[in-house]
């Protein structure tokens, strides 16, 4: 099958990956991930209002703000 057969021979019988699915829990770099986060109410109100003004989803606006923050921090290193 492959050149890792010798590793499989050392696997104990109670560990059975025969029905495992490769990359099942992999999250693609382009995927949106639901991440529950707690933020202060005044911040949520601010970003909600700004998102409504711009006609975008608050999550998209927060993502953009975080991306810009990361970019600025990388430049300042």
């Amino acid at each position: 099958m492959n050149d890792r057969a010798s590793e499989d021979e050392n696997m104990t019988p109670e560990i059975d990956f025969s029905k495992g699915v490769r990359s099942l829990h992999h999250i693609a770099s382009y995927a949106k991930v639901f991440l529950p986060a707690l933020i202060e109410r005044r911040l949520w109100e601010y970003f909600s209002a700004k998102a409504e003004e711009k006609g975008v989803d608050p999550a998209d606006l927060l993502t953009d703000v975080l991306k810009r923050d990361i970019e600025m921090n990388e430049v300042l290193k």
Side-chain angles (χ1 to χ4, degrees):
M1 192 187 301
N2 61 30
D3 58 352
R4 294 182 357 174
S6 62
E7 291 177 16
D8 293 338
E9 291 171 4
N10 296 330
M11 188 68 68
T12 58
E14 63 270 9
I15 300 175
D16 179 14
F17 294 107
S18 64
K19 294 186 174 89
V21 178
R22 186 176 297 279
S23 300
L24 178 63
H25 299 290
H26 172 75
I27 300 172
S29 61
Y30 57 83
K32 289 189 176 187
V33 179
F34 175 73
L35 178 67
L38 300 174
I39 62 171
E40 294 177 11
R41 182 177 198 73
R42 66 183 181 87
L43 292 173
W44 176 249
E45 291 169 351
Y46 175 84
F47 281 106
S48 293
K50 290 295 180 187
E52 190 173 328
E53 286 175 19
K54 295 182 176 206
V56 297
D57 186 77
D60 292 334
L61 181 61
L62 284 168
T63 297
D64 290 343
V65 168
L66 290 170
K67 283 180 181 178
R68 278 185 268 143
D69 188 63
I70 290 169
E71 289 170 3
M72 287 189 313
N73 280 307
E74 291 298 315
V75 168
L76 295 174
K77 279 187 177 180

